[in-house]
Amino acid sequence: MTQTLEHEPAVTEAPPVPPRRRFSRLAVRAGSIVAALVVWELLTAFDIDLWLHFDRLPTPVEVARDLGYQLGTAVYYQDLLDSLRRIVTGFALAAVFGIGLGTAIARSRGTSDVVQPLLEVVRPIPAIAVVPIAILLFPTNEQGIVFITFLAAFFPVVVSTRHAVRALPVVWEDAIRTMGGSRRRVLWNVVLPGALPGVFGGLSVGMGVSWICVISAEMISGEFGVGYRTWQAYTVVDYPGVIVGMLTIGLLGWVTSAAVELLGRRATRWLPRGENA
């Protein structure tokens, strides 16, 4: 009598977080925001002037009043859409070209010898410093701002992809090749899935840098967008409007970065998760 034993790999899953502990963590996070607002209110309400001039800042109530006003205008939402369109376009281009070029550099010695020296020379240049060149090169300011956004995310993605691909164990590729796998199969079934954790790390960093650069570019050469509107508020001494713009930028950056991280967790569900993941 013959028995066939099937050995399936054990998948380690993190134990579910108890509801009480989850509520406790949410309470701590909400409490930190409330505490910051209280400190802000006290510093501005009592006109504290100890080296830092808090007496010049608007109070949280004034900022909330201005936010409520802006939420009722169409311009506010148009600025959101303009900035999001620039971010999504530039970031998507950076993801496609960055992952492709980073993989090519890691997998091809010839590509590395030709391309990597140029990248290493250009990479230390801040993307915002390229704004004057972008204005000269592109027919419209809109295209120049998208290019700056692309450039900001491109280098973190290229570098993280290159390191992630080079860090893969050689035995993975050898195992596929001994079973007759082609170079394309190795790329799609071993290299890219194995490098995904590092790639998404670069994408997350690239998203944050993109927001910094797109807001700066909007302030310098834009006509619409959150950055342009924030700078315009400063020029007319509308300090509540400035802080509303800052908070809007922070919220947009948080939402888009969280979206990238969520996509990364979905794409790497095969990885073991810790309890706090």
Side-chain angles (χ1 to χ4, degrees), residues 2 9 13 39 58 80-81 84 121-122 124 126 133 138 151 165 167 180 265 275:
T2 304
E13 296 183 356
V39 172
L80 292 183
L81 292 176
L84 283 173
V121 171
V122 178
I133 303 300
F138 291 92
L151 201 64
V165 172
R265 288 197 297 269
E275 182 178 354

Side-chain angles (χ1 to χ4, degrees), residues 106-125:
R107 300 279 296 170
S108 171
R109 183 174 299 176
T111 304
S112 177
D113 292 340
V114 173
V115 177
Q116 189 164 337
L118 178 61
L119 291 180
E120 293 302 322
V121 171
V122 178
R123 185 164 64 94
I125 302 174

